[in-house]
Every structure is written in C-alpha cells, then in structure tokens.
Amino acid sequence: MTTFEGLGLDPRLVQATDALGFKEPTPIQEQAIPVLLSGTKDLVGLAQTGTGKTAAFGLPLLQLIDEGQKHPQALLVCPTRELCMQIVSEIELFKKFMPAIHVIAVYGGTSIGLQIRDLKRGVQIVVATPGRLIDLIERKAINLEQIKYVVLDEADEMLNMGFQDDIEFILQNTPKREATWLFSATMPPEIRRVSKKYMQQPMEITVGKVNTANKSIDHQYYVASAHHRYETLKRIIDFNPGIYGIIFTRTKADAQNIAEKLTREGYDIDALHGDLTQQQRDKVMGEFREKALQLLIATDVAARGIDVKEITHVVNYELPDDLEVYTHRSGRTGRAGSTGICLSIVHSREIGKLRQIERMVQSPFHKLEIPSGKDVCRKQFFHFMDKLLQADISHGDYESYVPMLAEKFADISKEDVLKRVAAMEFDRFLKYYENAEDLNVRERARDYKDSRGDVGGGERRERVPARRDPREPRDARVARDFSGSGTGDFTKLFVNLGTKDGFYKASFLQFILDMSDLRKEVLGRIDMKEMNSWVEVDRKSASQMIRAIDGKNYKGRRIRMNDANSR
Ligand code: ADP
Ligand code: MG
C-alpha cells in the first residue's frame, strides 16, 4: 500500500494527513505528488471531482515554498469565492504543523482594503478568483514578480465562465513563474490551447476516464410531464426522508421560486444563486454545511466546486443545457469514497438528451417509477419507526415513570400504542397522500390513446382515483396545511429576533406560529438576518401575530414586532 510518507512528503505534512484521517493517497495524489516534489515544472492533472485534487497540489506546494521568505511565492487561481475559501481552509489543515507559512484568500464581493492589508503581512500563498486578482494587480497591491508557482484549479470551469482572458493575463504577469500546474475534471480544447501556449512540455496525468462521472454515483431518472415537475420533486423528497441534497435548476428565478414554495410547504430548504448578496450566500452555505438546512436549491454557477461532505442526493430539477454540466452537478455527491445518487426529473422529450449524457458519463442510468402516495407514506412511516427504535433513552429519568405508564397503558396493546404514535405523527401526511395521483407518464396509456383515438378507460384505470384538478390536489390543503392558500396579499413584519438568538428558519417559523396560534399558510417569505428578521404575513393575520408576539419575552429579551411598512 502506498503511504503519504512513501511519496516523499515532509513529516509535518504526513502528520497533517494523519490528523485529517486520510489513510492513503488517492490515485491523483499518488501520481502527482512525487512528480511535483521532484521538480517537474509543468503539469496537467485530469481527474473527476471529489478525487482529492486539492491535496494533490496543496501538499507538494507547501513543501516547495520557502518558509523563510515572507512574500507571495505561489498563486492559486480558482473560479469562485466559495471554492477559494474552501481551498484555503483545506490548506490551513495541511499546514497545521508548518506555522511559518501563511495563506490568504482574495475574492470579490468583499472589502478589497482588508485584503490589501492582509497581503502585506507576509503571506506566501495567495488563493484568488481571477476577477479580484486582476483588480489587485491593476492597483499594484499584489506583487507577482516573485511568484514561482501558479496553480489553476478547476481550469475547465474557469474557461466555461469566461475567464480565459483573465487567466492569460495572469500567466503573462508572472514573469518569474517556474512551474504551472493545471487541474481540471475535463479537457476541452481551450485548455489544450492554454497549456500549449503557457506551459513547457507539461507532464500529463489522467486518472480514470476523463469526462466520466464517479463510479460511486448511481444515476437515476424519473419521467414526468412538465406540469408535474414540481409535484414530482416533492414526491421524491418525501420518499427520501433522510435526504441531504442539492437541487439544481437552470435559472435563478426557478431556484428562488421553488425554494419559496417549498419553504411555505414546510420543507427545510433555501436557495443559492447569483442574485443574493455575498453575505446571504455565505449564510445559506454555512447553514447547509452545518446541516441546519436539509436541502439547497442552486444554480450551476452558484454551486460550482462546492465540496460538502455526505451529500446523499443531487437532484436535477431539469437537465442542464450543456451536457458537461451534468458531470459537475453529479460530482457534488459520491465524494471521497462514499456513494451518492444523482437523479433527474426529465420530460419524455428529453430522453434522447439523457441517453447522450449516459454515454458521456459511461455508466447506466436507471429509470425509476415516481413513488406513489402509498410508497411515500410507507417510507416515511418506517423512517419514523426506525427513529423511534433508535431514540436515546439512556439519559433522563424514564425509569421512574415506568410504573405510572404501565398503569395508564394497562388496557392497551403494544400494537395500539404504536398505531397511536403513528397517527399523531402521520395523520396529516397520510391524508395528504391518501388520494395522491400517479405522476408517472404511462407509455401504455398513450399507446392506447394512439390506437383508439381517445384516452378511454385505459389511462384512468392506471390512475389512483381520478381528481378534479390534478395540479392542485384538494386533499393537500386539508392535510398538510402548507399549500399557501392564503390570498398572497402579504405585509412585511419586522421582528428583532434572528440567527443570533439561535433560530434557524424552520425553528423560527415554528416559534412564531406557536406563539400566535396561526397556521403556516398565512406566511410568505421569511428573511432571517443575524439580529432581526422580516416575515411576510397575510395582511388579515398580521395584527393577530403582532398582538401575540410584540412585547413578549424571549430568553430575557423583549421582543419587538411591527409592520415594517407602517414604520
Ligand atoms: P476535487 O478537488 O478533486 O474535487 P477535493 O480536493 O475537494 O476533490 O477532495 C474531496 C474530498 O476528499 C475532500 O473532502 C477531501 O478532504 C477528501 N480527501 C482528499 N484526499 C483524501 C484522502 N487521501 N483520503 C481521504 N479523503 C481525502
Ligand atoms: Mg477541487
């Protein structure tokens, strides 16, 4: 077995990999590290997402840096701010036992003044997004004269995002550049061109099949008609109670709208897209990372390069226009040896496109039936029962209640107790799905129609009880209370509670509803900040909410709530 030590790494770096729990190098690390340490100047490393490329260049870079020299020696360029911060925090971990090395992230959307100040403090490694870096170069705030190493991470993404000129500018402005390392998941012709122009006989390392996705990802798809897309998404989420996932949409508007709709329906989700301020994006990402959010809905640009561990599902609300993008999306799951599911909701017209992606990814795609209401209920039910069985009763004084409980439940069977527990937890859920329609597009039904000229009984027999308006299941309102049947005539309330008070969106929502004895359907958007929040409430219910909450105490503090519009 190859070890990090065996690759020729400094003991302090080996120690750091130990501390991180890395047992052995990944293939790209195994191949790239010794080569880079031995002084190979230019390198092109191609490996799929999630294969540990950051360490493949980060570890040798730390070893090659001159710790005694307090000026920028290495420049690491990557496409997004999120990725920039992620790389810096990984490198911080790698250099845990090398305190003399300093690394800094520079990216847009935040004070350039502070970054300029930090740059002057003797950093050796600069991790930057192209835009901000050029800004700094033009202000002469960064000295690239002595940069020896330039690393381009996610090079294909940077080119996709139109950073080609910026990258060339950067490469042209590093006169002392001795080594250029380029890492990428795919090898489009533009990269070939950049490498020809700016690198000298680069060594090329390819791990696995380029352009193919990770084998530990299971690719699944559901065929749904366009007007059932949203309902299908909900069904899939409900069918996977333990889901921790990212949903991709093509547009910012879709991401935002679906997030709002799902939030109103009680799902734990938030959106990540380019229209948010950096601060909002950081907050959403932070919550998702901490698993305070179960679901993230994102556009491709916003979610680029994000490495969050243990993502169980990537959901393509729609297939991406650009086939390559599929690989980037699916690469968010199945990372570092774990397995994941990438599932797509497709229209029957998109099957051809799906087959193309399947060929590109080179692993089989599995068609799944959209779960029926019954399937969903069964799944939720057993998930709940598993949780019940796993409940921790080792703490707390449960024993002392046992005699009393035994007496109280003397005449009820264990089965009945379980049924009652289930009823409490599931009543609304079961009702919601009781008469849920079959969302699957039935080929057979269509054939029937084609041959007979009308739908006839064939399709109807396929469906669970027919309903009046398939787009708006009546039971949904009764059952789940979340369908937002309010008038949509909202007013915005200000409240001086925020995330600082220990709330997340879901717990905050519960808190204000409980306090005011109102139902979820009166709420619109909730916008939480650190110190305060804005809550959209149906105009008719606003005063009831204010009366119930304004002036009350929360953890010793007086709550203020008022109508933001009439302030
Ligand atoms: P890539 O840049 O290739 O997409 P990353 O560098 O982001 O991949 O690594 C993906 C994940 O794998 C990270 O969470 C990282 O900490 C982890 N990882 C990297 N190398 C190893 C290793 N040798 N053993 C275990 N986990 C690793
Ligand atoms: Mg990476």
Side-chain angles (χ1 to χ4, degrees):
M1 187 181 93
T2 324
T3 60
F4 281 101
E5 208 163 8
L7 301 178
L9 283 170
D10 186 297
R12 292 173 295 171
L13 292 167
V14 176
Q15 205 182 341
T17 56
D18 270 353
L20 276 165
F22 293 1
K23 294 204 173 52
E24 53 179 335
T26 65
I28 184 82
Q29 291 162 4
E30 189 177 337
Q31 294 186 48
I33 292 174
V35 167
L36 294 175
L37 288 176
S38 73
T40 295
K41 292 192 168 59
D42 292 347
L43 177 115
V44 173
L46 298 172
Q48 300 144 16
T49 47
T51 51
K53 292 192 285 294
T54 318
F57 58 75
L59 295 170
L61 195 61
L62 284 164
Q63 185 153 336
L64 293 167
I65 293 289
D66 184 346
E67 292 174 60
Q69 300 284 318
K70 304 290 180 201
H71 58 75
Q73 299 168 42
L75 182 61
L76 240 144
V77 191
C78 65
T80 63
R81 166 197 165 98
E82 274 81 13
L83 203 53
C84 210
M85 299 196 296
Q86 194 173 292
I87 292 172
V88 167
S89 55
E90 281 250 297
I91 291 185
E92 292 284 1
L93 295 168
F94 300 154
K95 67 168 215 65
K96 190 172 170 191
F97 304 103
M98 300 180 131
I101 296 187
H102 298 283
V103 51
I104 180 188
V106 298
Y107 43 76
T110 175
S111 156
I112 197 166
L114 289 179
Q115 291 177 351
I116 292 174
R117 204 193 59 200
D118 288 341
L119 274 167
K120 298 214 169 87
R121 293 195 175 156
V123 296
Q124 294 104 331
I125 303 178
V126 178
V127 184
T129 54
R132 177 52 61 96
L133 183 61
I134 284 172
D135 210 341
L136 289 165
I137 295 173
E138 282 172 350
R139 288 174 191 232
K140 302 213 183 319
I142 185 166
N143 180 5
L144 300 186
E145 295 288 311
Q146 310 194 61
I147 295 281
K148 285 164 73 174
Y149 306 98
V150 173
V151 183
L152 305 173
D153 190 24
E154 303 239 20
D156 51 352
E157 288 289 343
M158 290 201 280
L159 297 180
N160 278 343
M161 290 168 79
F163 286 137
Q164 170 118 16
D165 294 344
D166 301 15
I167 287 169
E168 297 202 26
F169 182 81
I170 292 162
L171 292 171
Q172 286 157 7
N173 280 276
T174 39
K176 289 268 172 62
R177 177 162 45 90
E178 287 177 12
T180 312
W181 306 342
L182 184 154
F183 285 83
S184 182
T186 57
M187 188 68 175
E190 299 90 312
I191 295 202
R192 192 67 68 208
R193 208 184 64 74
V194 168
S195 79
K196 275 223 176 73
K197 196 161 162 194
Y198 295 101
M199 298 165 90
Q200 284 162 17
Q201 295 162 331
M203 155 128 197
E204 206 171 295
I205 296 177
T206 305
V207 167
K209 286 204 180 71
V210 178
N211 279 3
T212 65
N214 204 315
K215 280 281 182 283
S216 51
I217 299 172
D218 189 20
H219 301 271
Q220 309 176 344
Y221 66 100
Y222 296 91
V223 181
S225 56
H227 68 276
H228 281 153
R229 217 178 266 274
Y230 177 75
E231 193 63 30
T232 302
L233 175 66
K234 264 173 61 174
R235 199 74 67 90
I236 293 168
I237 297 171
D238 288 339
F239 190 64
N240 292 283
I243 190 170
Y244 176 52
I246 305 188
I247 300 160
F248 284 97
T249 59
R250 272 196 290 223
T251 66
K252 296 181 227 179
D254 271 352
Q256 187 63 34
N257 293 338
I258 295 168
E260 282 174 21
K261 243 164 118 180
L262 285 172
T263 303
R264 268 205 287 278
E265 299 194 55
Y267 292 86
D268 195 12
I269 186 167
D270 214 333
L272 189 73
H273 57 69
D275 281 353
L276 303 177
T277 63
Q278 294 292 3
Q279 222 182 354
Q280 288 170 317
R281 283 166 51 146
D282 286 350
K283 187 169 148 284
V284 173
M285 262 321 290
E287 288 182 4
F288 184 61
R289 247 180 238 288
E290 287 165 22
K291 304 206 170 143
L293 267 182
Q294 196 177 5
L295 297 163
L296 187 68
I297 184 160
T299 55
D300 291 299
V301 175
R304 195 148 281 162
I306 285 174
D307 176 37
V308 175
K309 290 196 174 61
E310 293 160 30
I311 287 182
T312 60
H313 291 74
V314 165
V315 180
N316 294 302
Y317 186 71
E318 288 154 310
L319 288 177
D321 287 324
D322 179 355
L323 303 188
E324 295 259 302
V325 169
Y326 182 93
T327 324
H328 291 289
R329 290 182 177 183
S330 61
R332 302 298 126 229
T333 184
R335 295 177 82 75
S338 63
T339 57
I341 292 170
C342 180
L343 53 86
S344 307
I345 304 174
V346 301
H347 190 275
S348 46
R349 277 196 301 270
E350 294 173 305
I351 299 289
K353 192 167 170 183
L354 192 89
R355 294 284 165 243
Q356 265 177 290
I357 297 176
E358 187 174 18
R359 276 194 296 278
M360 182 188 77
V361 170
Q362 297 179 3
S363 44
F365 278 41
H366 304 114
K367 179 174 187 240
L368 298 189
E369 291 269 291
I370 302 170
S372 68
K374 265 212 167 64
D375 295 337
V376 173
C377 290
R378 198 180 317 114
K379 197 69 176 269
Q380 288 278 349
F381 189 79
F382 284 109
H383 180 71
F384 173 72
M385 287 304 163
D386 281 342
K387 276 201 330 207
L388 188 72
L389 281 172
Q390 284 158 16
D392 181 8
I393 46 170
S394 61
H395 307 286
D397 196 13
Y398 301 109
E399 280 304 313
S400 66
Y401 298 115
V402 168
M404 193 184 77
L405 285 177
E407 193 181 326
K408 205 166 178 72
F409 287 85
D411 298 331
I412 307 183
S413 71
K414 184 165 149 188
E415 284 72 28
D416 268 353
V417 173
L418 287 175
K419 274 190 229 157
R420 272 160 227 249
V421 170
M424 274 170 63
E425 185 77 5
F426 283 107
D427 198 36
R428 301 205 306 172
F429 213 94
L430 294 175
K431 277 199 195 125
Y432 178 81
Y433 275 115
E434 199 166 49
N435 291 315
E437 70 179 307
D438 181 2
L439 298 176
N440 290 289
V441 176
R442 297 289 170 194
E443 298 298 331
R444 207 145 52 85
R446 205 179 322 130
D447 295 346
Y448 191 81
K449 179 182 174 182
D450 286 343
S451 58
R452 294 278 302 274
D454 69 25
V455 175
E459 186 173 25
R460 220 165 283 139
R461 234 179 296 123
E462 294 280 351
R463 297 186 172 225
V464 191
R467 57 167 6 99
R468 285 140 294 252
D469 177 5
R471 253 157 298 180
E472 199 164 334
R474 245 166 51 99
D475 308 286
R477 292 192 184 168
V478 187
R480 228 179 153 175
D481 271 355
F482 302 145
S483 68
S485 61
T487 55
D489 182 17
F490 293 122
T491 185
K492 206 179 243 180
L493 305 185
F494 166 89
V495 56
N496 65 339
L497 293 174
T499 51
K500 260 261 163 61
D501 300 289
F503 285 115
Y504 288 109
K505 215 175 247 179
S507 58
F508 183 67
L509 185 140
Q510 202 56 53
F511 174 79
I512 55 176
L513 291 176
D514 287 352
M515 290 275 288
S516 56
D517 203 21
L518 286 164
R519 288 141 58 104
K520 278 200 175 93
E521 60 193 5
V522 307
L523 292 181
R525 259 187 79 79
I526 293 186
D527 187 12
M528 291 198 78
K529 299 269 182 297
E530 210 173 305
M531 306 299 291
N532 44 51
S533 309
W534 283 268
V535 184
E536 277 183 0
V537 181
D538 194 315
R539 220 167 267 287
K540 292 197 282 289
S541 307
S543 58
Q544 179 178 340
M545 181 167 285
I546 295 173
R547 265 202 312 279
I549 296 178
D550 186 48
K552 296 280 157 42
N553 270 311
Y554 181 74
K555 294 187 176 165
R557 205 151 65 79
R558 188 166 166 271
I559 308 177
R560 261 188 316 119
M561 179 182 255
N562 51 46
D563 196 322
N565 299 323
S566 59
R567 280 202 302 162

